[in-house]
Amino acid sequence: DWSANGDPEPGTNYRLQVDVSASFASPTGVSVSTSGGLVSGLSPSTLYYFRVRAIGAARAPSAWDATVSTRTLPPAPGPPAWGWGSGR
């Protein structure tokens, strides 16, 4: 989630970009109308960078907000492997 700066106009949307590069060389983006969202489809154990900007009702975008980053969790372990011994 992010905080709306000031008093945003009705009709303000937000553009969120996600990338594995801090330079946002190949970002994936999504537009939302609320100050929060859920990003799905991320790979495990991967460092991701996020940035957001407001787009007002007049379609004029703000500057990108400060970039933040986080690493996703490693994959969940699989079920235990049960072996059957030689009569023990």
Side-chain angles (χ1 to χ4, degrees):
D1 291 349
W2 53 88
S3 298
N5 190 3
D7 186 17
E9 303 171 10
T12 297
N13 288 306
Y14 302 92
R15 179 78 178 160
L16 174 67
Q17 285 189 334
V18 181
D19 203 339
V20 294
S21 166
S23 66
F24 290 87
S26 299
T28 300
V30 62
S31 293
V32 295
S33 60
T34 61
S35 61
L38 178 67
V39 178
S40 61
L42 303 178
S43 298
S45 301
T46 304
L47 181 63
Y48 286 96
Y49 297 89
F50 299 82
R51 65 183 180 181
V52 65
R53 73 183 339 168
I55 302 173
R59 309 303 302 153
S62 69
W64 290 107
D65 200 1
T67 299
V68 296
S69 64
T70 190
R71 183 174 299 278
T72 53
L73 296 173
W82 295 100
W84 300 102
S86 57
R88 291 193 212 183

